[in-house]
């Protein structure tokens, strides 16, 4: 149809529009603004509008009746064309390998039918008029599996059917036939556990468990098919997989089939680049507050060391060191460690027994048992453990106070011994409601009983070298507590994994009590006894209840687009009691100001959204997390604030050897609950610890650039922190020589770092990994009414060497060095050491482990603080130089993974 302006009267339309414009100028401006918005929406949605345009037949509403019985995709497409006027367009090479498909015969929409047929393939579809186009989704096929089928004489067998099966889906993903040379070629999109099925007329069929690790092209050894029946043992693909890969926002440690000679996952984490495990077994990546995940599910903070100590390295497929976490994770974490276990599908009863013993100055040991019973729909797991550890610490603290007319010096030496007894039990069950839905429950309980004693000696001097007086204090204490987790999990996976919904509900009660009695005695400067000082007692009790509700949703769209969204509700109720009393003759007097009874309630409501898009060589994602935090309680300052946490990442893959990524993220570091309360605790007669109701969270703004050049990984990172908090002196009583400490906010801190990692296979049995971090730290704030600042350069090196002497013997050496530097306003001296470990596979079910920690010498950590009128110097050492032995016995059909459900209370329990 042709429409011409010549059919209208010349000039009439312009006159009308001009007159109307003058009268309605304001309305026109509003319409123009609206039109700009509508234009933007249309341009943003044009791809979807084009992809879904259709006339006549509609694949989303029109239905067909179709069933397939070991037939090809091509057959299925022809059957659809026979029932509708729609026609399919595709590349023959894209569908020729899609054979032996099975589909129940029933009526569905055309779109639903195609989704079922193309499930677990790299193909997508869209309707254009009366045509449907099948095309690759744009996502590169991640893994290509190649191999050859031969007979006993190593001659190729042609036309053998080879198929790959995903056990949990219970269906064939892809099937093909060998060519005249016996060669087959299959493709899958995900790493993990598969079954490789081989069938040939006149030969015995084979079903081979296959574990695929991270390599795009995997060449399997020849598979021999014989006339007699033979069930092969599990095959693990041992390819030239880099021990550690750089994926832009994370490092991926390929633990499976590596030579890493450690028994527990906690020991393994110690040797990984940029990971530090503190003497208290706190795990940190890049020295950030770190979330620990097991198969993508959070590990409860109060039970992290217990769970990681009992998770065997043999059960780990890989570990992701996520240095740039997305908005999906709680904003309280600047780094994430995700431990991915091997997926085994063994039906029946399996388990293992683990025993561990170590010797330093004192002895420590633990025993645990893990069992799993699995059927087609049920998986039931159980774990119990007992651990007894003697934790010994030696602290030497030298303080110099110069606010008065005479300089006062206090030398305080304290020896602490904790006799920890920990009991834990975990029960879990997963029930597969149908092929799309899973329901799970988990109950975890941990009891702790820790008696112990402190022996302290405080020496006072002013001018002379000889002390003016000495106070010796013996303290007895008992620390008891429990932690429980009750969790319900639900997951719905539909539309060929295009929709993924997971929900969880968790209740966590936590209790801790502390009783301490101190008996000080006074001596003169030469050590002669003078008198007893009044004994004092400290009592504390905390009862915390945490309630969690969380939902996460993932939607995959055509064109490699993904949208993630979710929400979380977290409520924490905390009741805390602190008391301090002094024994005078026959009475015990409670000291006012040191006895508190407080309640604290904190509610966090969070929501997030993430959009990501993949191209052939580029990946872009951006997200936003919003958290509303409300705190209230008796004797507590109320807060109500909203925080926004943006996050953006871009990654460009030049080829398999070169990549570049950039990212930005904002994070929060919330104070521990206890430090928000107005408590006062007397740790000794000259040191008081107290809470701070005005303590605020700190915020990190992190910018990262990352480059990978083959096996060399280089990242440049800058972090600006506002209001960082540290434990600082807040009051100095020069007359009584008493110093009060509390957590206080500084003004700011900055960290600039250059991180490198390089991996090299010296020989097939010898691997070398070297990580180096160097940079600059600075902090600025006010302490004791005086302005303080501190900055320093730092250098951290970690050298890890692993040796695979044979199939049954593995050995590892790990050397590390940390230069002098600063954390906040505290200077730290340099330290370094050497660890070694070995694993001996005595049989297929019995494993012996041997390790030595801090082989060169027992580490002594040296820190110094200078606040003008108050200077301090602290030396701290522990019973960390140890030799450790262990036994692992596995029983049942195979080794198992310890199933952990998502609890969602990781942020809350991490602050207990």
């Amino acid at each position: 149809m042709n429409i011409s302006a010549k059919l209208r009267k010349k000039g009439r339309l312009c006159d009308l529009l001009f007159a109307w414009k003058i009268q309605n100028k304001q309305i026109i401006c509003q319409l123009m603004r609206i039109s700009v918005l509508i234009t933007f929406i249309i341009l943003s949605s044009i791809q979807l509008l084009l992809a879904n345009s259709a006339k006549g037949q509609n694949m989303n509403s029109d239905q067909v009746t179709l069933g397939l019985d070991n037939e090809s995709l091509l057959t299925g497409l022809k059957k659809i064309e026979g029932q509708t006027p729609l026609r399919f367009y595709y590349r023959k090479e894209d569908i020729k390998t899609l054979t032996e498909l099975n589909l129940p015969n029933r009526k569905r929409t055309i779109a639903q039918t195609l989704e079922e047929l193309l499930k677990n393939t790299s193909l997508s579809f869209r309707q254009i008029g009366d045509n449907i186009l099948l095309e690759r989704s744009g996502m590169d096929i991640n893994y290509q599996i190649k191999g050859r089928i031969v007979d006993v004489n190593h001659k190729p067998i042609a036309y053998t059917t080879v198929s790959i099966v995903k056990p949990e889906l219970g269906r064939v993903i892809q099937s093909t036939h060998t060519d005249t040379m016996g060669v087959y070629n299959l493709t899958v999109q995900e790493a993990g556990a598969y079954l490789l099925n081989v069938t040939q007329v006149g030969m015995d069929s084979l079903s081979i468990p296959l574990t695929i690790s991270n390599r795009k092209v995997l060449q399997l050894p020849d598979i021999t098919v014989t006339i007699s029946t033979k069930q092969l043992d599990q095959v693990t693909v041992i390819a030239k997989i880099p021990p550690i890969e750089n994926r832009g926002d994370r490092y991926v440690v390929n633990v499976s089939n590596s030579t890493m000679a450690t028994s527990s996952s906690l020991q393994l984490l110690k040797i990984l680049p940029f990971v530090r495990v503190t003497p208290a077994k706190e795990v940190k990546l890049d020295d950030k507050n770190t979330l620990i995940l097991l198969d993508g599910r959070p590990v409860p903070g109060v039970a992290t060391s217990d769970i990681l100590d009992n998770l065997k390295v043999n059960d780990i497929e890989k570990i992701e060191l996520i240095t740039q976490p997305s908005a999906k994770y709680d904003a309280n974490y600047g780094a994430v460690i995700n431990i991915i276990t091997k997926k085994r599908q063994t039906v029946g009863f399996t388990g293992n027994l683990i025993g561990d013993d170590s010797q330093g100055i004192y002895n420590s040991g633990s025993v645990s048992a893990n069992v799993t019973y699995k059927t087609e729909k049920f998986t039931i797991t159980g774990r119990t453990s007992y651990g007894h550890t003697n934790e010994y610490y030696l602290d030497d603290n030298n303080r110099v106070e110069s606010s008065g007319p005479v300089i006062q010096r206090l030398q305080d030496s304290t020896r602490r011994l904790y006799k920890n007894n920990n009991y834990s039990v975990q029960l879990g069950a997963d029930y597969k409601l149908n092929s799309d839905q899973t329901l799970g429950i988990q109950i975890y309980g941990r009891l702790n009983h820790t008696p112990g004693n402190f022996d302290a000696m405080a020496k006072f001097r002013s001018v002379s070298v000889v002390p003016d007086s000495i106070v010796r204090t013996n303290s007895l204490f008992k620390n008891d507590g429990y932690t429980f987790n009750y969790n319900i999990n639900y997951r719905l996976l539909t539309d060929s994994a295009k929709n993924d919904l997971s929900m969880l509900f968790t209740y966590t009660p936590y209790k801790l009590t502390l009783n301490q009695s101190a008996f000080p005695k006074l001596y003169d400067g030469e050590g002669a006894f003078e008198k007893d000082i009044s004994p004092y007692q400290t009592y504390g009790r905390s009862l915390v209840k945490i309630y969690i509700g969380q939902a996460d949703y993932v939607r995959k769209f055509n064109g490699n687009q993904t949208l993630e969204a979710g929400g979380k509700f977290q409520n924490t109720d905390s009741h805390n009691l602190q008391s301090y009393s002094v024994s005078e003759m026959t009475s015990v007097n409670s000291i006012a100001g040191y006895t508190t009874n407080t309640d604290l309630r904190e509610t966090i409501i969070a929501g997030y959204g993430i959009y990501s898009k993949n191209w052939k060589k580029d990946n872009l994602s951006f997200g936003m997390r919003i958290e509303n935090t409300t705190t209230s309680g008796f004797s507590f300052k109320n807060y109500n604030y909203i925080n926004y946490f943006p996050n953006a990442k871009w990654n460009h893959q030049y080829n398999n050897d070169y990549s570049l990524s950039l990212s930005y993220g904002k994070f929060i570091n919330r104070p521990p609950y206890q430090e928000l309360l107005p408590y006062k605790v007397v740790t000794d007669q000259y040191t008081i610890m107290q809470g701070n109701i005005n303590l605020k969270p700190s915020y990190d703004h992190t910018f990262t650039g990352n480059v990978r050049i083959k096996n060399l990984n280089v990242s440049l990172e800058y972090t600006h922190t506002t209001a960082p908090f540290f434990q600082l002196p807040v009051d100095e009583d020069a007359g009584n020589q008493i110093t009060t400490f509390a957590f206080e906010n500084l003004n700011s801190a900055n960290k600039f770092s250059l991180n490198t990692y390089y991996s090299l296979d010296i020989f097939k049995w010898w691997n070398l990994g070297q990580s180096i971090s160097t940079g600059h730290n600075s902090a600025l704030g006010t302490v004791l009414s005086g302005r303080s600042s501190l900055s320093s350069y730092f250098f951290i090196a970690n050298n890890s060497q692993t040796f695979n002497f044979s199939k049954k013997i593995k050995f590892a050496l790990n050397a590390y060095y940390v230069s002098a530097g600063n954390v906040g306003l505290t200077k730290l001296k340099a330290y370094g050491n050497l660890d070694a470990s070995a694993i001996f596979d005595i049989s297929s079910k019995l494993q012996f482990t041997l390790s030595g920690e801090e082989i060169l010498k027992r580490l002594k950590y040296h820190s110094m603080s200078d606040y003008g009128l108050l200077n301090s110097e602290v030396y701290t050492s522990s019973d960390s130089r140890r030799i450790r032995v262990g036994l692992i016995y596995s029983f049942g059909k195979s080794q198992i993974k310890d199933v952990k459900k998502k609890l969602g209370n990781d942020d809350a329990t991490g602050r207990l």
Side-chain angles (χ1 to χ4, degrees):
M1 179 183 294
N2 295 320
I3 300 176
S4 174
K6 294 180 180 180
L7 299 177
R8 301 181 183 274
K9 294 182 179 180
K10 187 175 181 181
R12 177 60 176 166
L13 179 61
C14 293
D15 292 337
L16 291 174
L17 290 175
F18 184 79
W20 187 83
K21 175 183 175 183
I22 298 299
Q23 298 174 6
N24 301 276
K25 183 175 182 181
Q26 185 175 1
I27 296 176
I28 292 174
C29 292
Q30 295 295 332
L31 289 174
M32 290 178 66
R33 294 190 183 101
I34 295 174
S35 66
V36 170
L37 177 61
I38 293 174
T39 302
F40 174 77
I41 294 174
I42 292 175
L43 291 175
S44 302
S45 308
I46 192 168
Q47 182 180 358
L48 297 177
L49 292 172
L50 289 175
N52 292 300
S53 61
K55 296 180 180 179
Q57 296 284 316
N58 188 330
M59 67 177 183
N60 294 309
S61 59
D62 294 343
Q63 295 184 331
V64 294
T65 301
L66 181 65
L68 295 180
D69 185 12
N70 289 324
E71 298 174 81
S72 67
L73 175 62
L74 180 59
T75 301
L77 298 179
K78 289 181 177 180
K79 289 183 178 181
I80 296 175
E81 288 179 339
Q83 300 180 43
T84 71
L86 294 173
R87 291 295 176 263
F88 289 93
Y89 289 87
Y90 47 81
R91 297 173 58 196
K92 290 184 178 180
E93 54 267 30
D94 288 346
I95 69 169
K96 67 180 182 179
T97 59
L98 300 176
T99 60
E100 298 186 9
L101 301 181
N102 293 281
L103 187 67
N105 187 36
R106 64 182 177 89
K107 182 178 288 188
R108 311 173 185 82
T109 66
I110 299 172
Q112 290 173 340
T113 303
L114 290 175
E115 286 177 353
E116 289 295 324
L117 291 175
L118 302 180
K119 185 183 296 184
N120 299 309
T121 72
S122 60
L123 296 178
S124 61
F125 60 90
R126 59 190 174 111
Q127 182 176 354
I128 305 176
D130 286 336
N131 304 310
I132 296 180
L133 177 63
L134 303 185
E135 57 186 348
R136 290 186 179 273
S137 61
M139 188 186 309
D140 291 336
I141 296 175
N142 291 333
Y143 303 99
Q144 188 175 12
I145 306 166
K146 295 181 178 181
R148 194 169 68 126
I149 307 299
V150 298
D151 60 17
V152 291
N153 297 317
H154 299 287
K155 293 182 179 180
I157 303 176
Y159 311 115
T160 302
T161 301
V162 183
S163 57
I164 192 80
V165 177
K166 193 74 171 174
E168 56 263 36
L169 298 177
R171 65 184 297 272
V172 175
I173 293 177
Q174 191 180 27
S175 180
T176 187
H177 294 90
T178 58
D179 59 19
T180 55
M181 299 303 296
V183 174
Y184 61 90
N185 194 330
L186 297 166
T187 56
V188 295
Q189 292 185 2
E190 297 178 351
Y194 294 88
L195 288 177
L196 188 72
N197 293 334
V198 180
T199 57
Q200 170 69 15
V201 177
M203 298 289 186
D204 196 21
S205 299
L206 299 178
S207 182
I208 306 169
L210 180 68
T211 302
I212 299 178
S213 299
N214 295 323
R215 186 172 176 83
K216 290 199 171 185
V217 180
L218 301 176
Q219 181 70 49
L220 296 182
D222 287 351
I223 296 177
T224 302
V225 179
T226 64
I227 296 176
S228 60
T229 303
K230 183 178 182 181
Q231 176 71 32
L232 296 185
D233 291 334
Q234 176 165 322
V235 173
T236 302
V237 179
I238 305 177
K240 294 289 291 183
I241 305 171
I244 299 183
E245 300 177 81
N246 185 347
R247 299 274 184 88
D249 65 338
R250 69 194 65 193
Y251 291 93
V252 178
V253 183
N254 296 298
V255 179
S256 181
N257 307 308
S258 73
T259 56
M260 295 180 179
T262 57
S263 56
S264 75
S265 56
L266 190 64
Q267 291 176 311
L268 173 61
L269 290 173
K270 291 181 179 180
I271 69 174
L272 298 185
F274 316 121
V275 177
R276 183 170 63 91
V277 180
T278 67
K281 296 185 178 180
E282 182 184 8
V283 181
K284 284 183 173 290
L285 174 59
D286 277 346
D287 276 331
K288 300 174 183 175
N289 195 22
T290 303
L291 170 64
I292 306 297
L293 301 177
L294 195 58
D295 291 324
R297 302 179 178 102
V299 174
V302 290
T304 298
S305 62
D306 179 35
I307 291 173
L308 296 183
D309 262 335
N310 289 282
L311 177 62
K312 297 185 301 175
V313 172
N314 286 350
D315 286 332
I316 299 176
E317 180 72 28
K318 60 186 176 182
I319 298 177
E320 295 179 327
L321 307 178
I322 306 174
T323 55
Q324 304 157 41
S326 70
K328 175 181 180 179
Y329 304 105
D330 286 333
N332 197 45
Y333 297 102
V336 177
I337 296 178
N338 184 22
I339 302 174
I340 301 174
T341 59
K342 296 177 181 177
K343 307 302 184 294
R344 298 182 173 91
Q345 300 299 321
T346 302
V347 175
F349 182 76
T350 54
N352 59 56
L353 301 173
I354 303 174
D356 180 278
D357 191 79
S358 66
Q359 183 65 49
I361 301 175
Y362 295 92
N363 179 265
S364 296
S366 65
V367 292
S368 66
N370 303 268
V371 294
T372 291
Y373 179 73
K374 182 176 177 63
T375 66
E376 184 178 353
K377 288 195 171 183
F378 266 109
T379 300
I380 301 174
T381 62
R383 183 175 66 84
T384 183
S385 68
Y386 166 73
H388 174 73
T389 58
N390 291 291
E391 296 184 16
Y392 174 76
Y393 299 92
L394 174 61
D395 301 321
D396 289 317
N397 188 346
N398 299 315
R399 284 186 237 162
V400 178
E401 205 281 333
S402 55
S403 61
V406 179
I407 297 177
Q408 302 288 337
R409 291 178 174 86
L410 168 64
Q411 181 181 351
D412 188 2
S413 179
T414 304
R415 289 167 173 80
R416 296 175 287 148
L417 179 61
Y418 301 88
K419 300 178 181 180
N420 292 315
N421 295 277
N422 299 311
Y423 312 83
S424 68
V425 175
Q426 178 175 302
L427 298 173
D430 286 323
Y431 177 63
K432 194 173 182 180
L433 301 173
N434 52 44
S435 60
D436 298 329
Q437 301 179 80
T438 303
L439 179 66
I441 62 171
Q442 178 178 286
I443 300 174
Y444 173 83
R446 184 172 187 263
L447 303 178
N448 178 71
H449 173 65
T450 305
N453 66 281
F454 291 178
D455 286 317
M457 179 175 65
K459 297 180 179 180
F460 305 92
R461 60 170 60 92
S462 53
V463 180
S464 64
V465 177
V466 177
D468 300 328
S469 60
I470 300 173
V471 174
R472 296 180 183 270
T473 305
N474 177 257
S475 299
L476 302 177
F477 71 89
K478 184 174 67 172
N479 191 334
D480 294 316
Y482 64 74
T483 303
F484 290 93
N485 287 300
Y486 304 92
N487 172 262
I488 298 176
N489 251 279
Y490 171 78
R491 187 180 185 189
L492 173 65
L493 190 67
T494 63
D495 298 336
S496 303
K498 289 184 178 179
N499 291 285
D500 187 352
L501 173 66
S502 60
M503 295 185 293
L504 66 88
F505 305 93
T506 300
Y507 168 59
T508 304
Y510 166 87
K511 184 179 181 180
L512 179 66
T513 60
L514 170 66
N515 285 281
Q516 179 179 349
S517 299
F519 305 93
K521 299 178 181 294
L522 179 64
Y523 298 80
D524 64 17
E526 297 180 352
F529 175 76
E530 290 190 352
K531 66 175 182 177
D532 290 322
I533 302 176
S534 299
Y536 59 91
Q537 295 81 37
T538 299
Y539 174 77
R541 184 190 67 203
S542 293
L543 179 60
V544 181
K545 296 180 180 180
I546 303 170
Y547 305 87
I548 301 287
Q550 183 172 331
D552 298 284
Y553 175 71
V554 180
R555 169 65 179 175
K556 295 181 180 178
F557 298 93
N558 292 336
N560 292 324
Q561 302 178 85
T562 303
L563 178 65
E564 300 177 61
K568 181 176 181 180
F569 171 83
Q570 174 179 304
N571 183 80
T572 303
D573 289 327
S574 173
H575 178 74
N576 301 271
L577 174 65
Q578 300 280 350
S579 67
Y580 173 70
S581 57
V582 177
S583 299
E584 298 287 352
M585 302 299 288
T586 58
S587 63
V588 178
N589 302 316
S590 180
I591 305 301
Y594 293 87
T595 299
T596 59
N597 192 345
T598 59
D599 291 304
L600 166 66
R601 168 171 290 182
E602 180 184 74
T603 301
I604 300 176
I605 301 175
Y608 72 89
I610 305 171
Y611 171 80
S612 60
K613 166 74 174 175
N614 289 327
W615 292 272
K616 186 175 181 180
K617 291 188 176 182
D618 292 271
N619 171 268
L620 177 66
S621 69
F622 54 88
M624 174 68 75
R625 187 178 183 91
I626 303 175
E627 295 186 351
N628 175 249
T629 304
T630 303
T631 57
S632 61
F634 176 70
S635 299
F636 182 78
K637 191 171 183 177
N638 297 341
Y639 292 100
N640 187 346
Y641 55 90
I642 297 178
N643 290 125
Y644 301 88
F645 301 98
N647 185 288
K649 302 175 191 174
W650 170 73
N651 182 72
H652 179 73
Q653 187 85 19
Y654 292 97
N655 52 45
N656 290 336
D657 294 326
Y658 303 93
S659 66
L660 169 68
S661 66
L662 301 172
S663 71
Y664 163 76
K666 179 185 176 183
F667 308 95
I668 188 174
N669 188 15
R670 294 187 177 89
Y673 294 118
Q674 179 71 18
E675 303 308 326
L676 296 171
L677 302 173
Y679 74 90
K680 276 191 176 183
V681 173
V682 178
T683 58
D684 58 52
Q685 284 196 313
Y686 310 98
T687 306
I688 297 174
M689 301 294 182
Q690 70 179 27
N692 181 2
I693 63 174
N694 296 310
L695 189 63
K696 296 179 175 59
S698 64
Y699 298 91
D700 292 341
H701 298 266
T702 301
F703 303 84
T704 305
N706 197 299
V707 177
R708 179 177 63 86
I709 306 173
K710 294 186 177 181
N711 290 337
L712 176 64
N713 305 281
V714 181
S715 66
L716 192 63
E717 182 174 288
Y718 169 71
T719 299
H720 174 72
T721 305
T722 58
F725 51 83
F726 300 93
Q727 194 171 65
L728 301 168
V730 294
D731 184 67
E732 179 67 18
D733 185 346
N736 296 312
Q737 297 181 325
I738 297 175
T739 304
T740 301
F741 293 87
F743 276 87
E744 288 282 318
N745 291 106
L746 300 181
N747 290 14
S748 63
N750 294 279
K751 181 181 179 180
F752 174 83
S753 63
L754 177 65
N755 307 311
T756 62
Y757 177 79
Y758 183 75
S759 177
L760 175 66
D761 286 327
I762 300 175
F763 298 106
K764 290 183 178 180
W765 51 271
W766 183 3
N767 174 263
L768 169 67
Q770 178 70 58
S771 65
I772 296 176
S773 295
T774 183
H776 185 265
N777 270 328
S778 63
L780 173 67
T782 301
V783 181
L784 295 175
S785 301
R787 197 76 164 173
S788 295
S789 64
L790 187 62
S791 64
S792 66
Y793 292 93
F794 65 86
F795 176 84
I796 303 173
N798 189 308
N799 180 279
S800 177
Q801 300 187 53
T802 55
F803 308 85
N804 195 5
F805 293 123
S806 70
K807 292 183 178 180
K808 294 187 175 183
I809 301 177
K810 297 179 181 179
F811 182 73
L813 281 174
N814 185 54
Y816 53 92
Y817 173 78
V818 180
S819 73
N822 72 284
V823 175
L825 299 178
T826 300
K827 297 179 181 179
L828 304 176
K829 288 291 188 178
Y831 65 89
N833 221 310
L834 178 68
D835 297 338
S837 58
I839 289 181
F840 304 89
D841 290 326
I842 300 173
S843 68
S844 61
K845 294 190 174 184
L846 185 62
Q847 189 177 78
F848 173 74
T849 63
L850 175 66
S851 63
E853 301 166 13
E854 298 187 9
I855 295 175
L856 301 180
K857 63 177 181 178
R858 181 172 289 106
L859 287 180
K860 179 177 286 190
Y861 300 93
H862 182 192
S863 62
M864 296 172 290
S865 301
D866 184 354
Y867 305 118
L869 299 179
L870 176 66
N871 301 325
S872 67
E873 189 172 19
V874 179
Y875 296 87
T876 300
S877 61
S878 64
D879 189 12
S880 53
R881 191 184 191 193
R882 311 186 70 81
I883 184 170
R884 187 183 304 271
V885 296
L887 279 176
I888 302 172
Y889 175 72
S890 300
F891 54 88
K893 294 187 177 182
S894 74
Q895 296 171 332
I896 62 172
K897 87 178 175 101
D898 190 13
V899 178
K900 301 291 185 299
K901 297 303 297 178
K902 186 175 182 180
L903 299 176
N905 61 350
D906 37 280
D907 176 26
T909 58
R911 296 164 60 202
L912 294 177

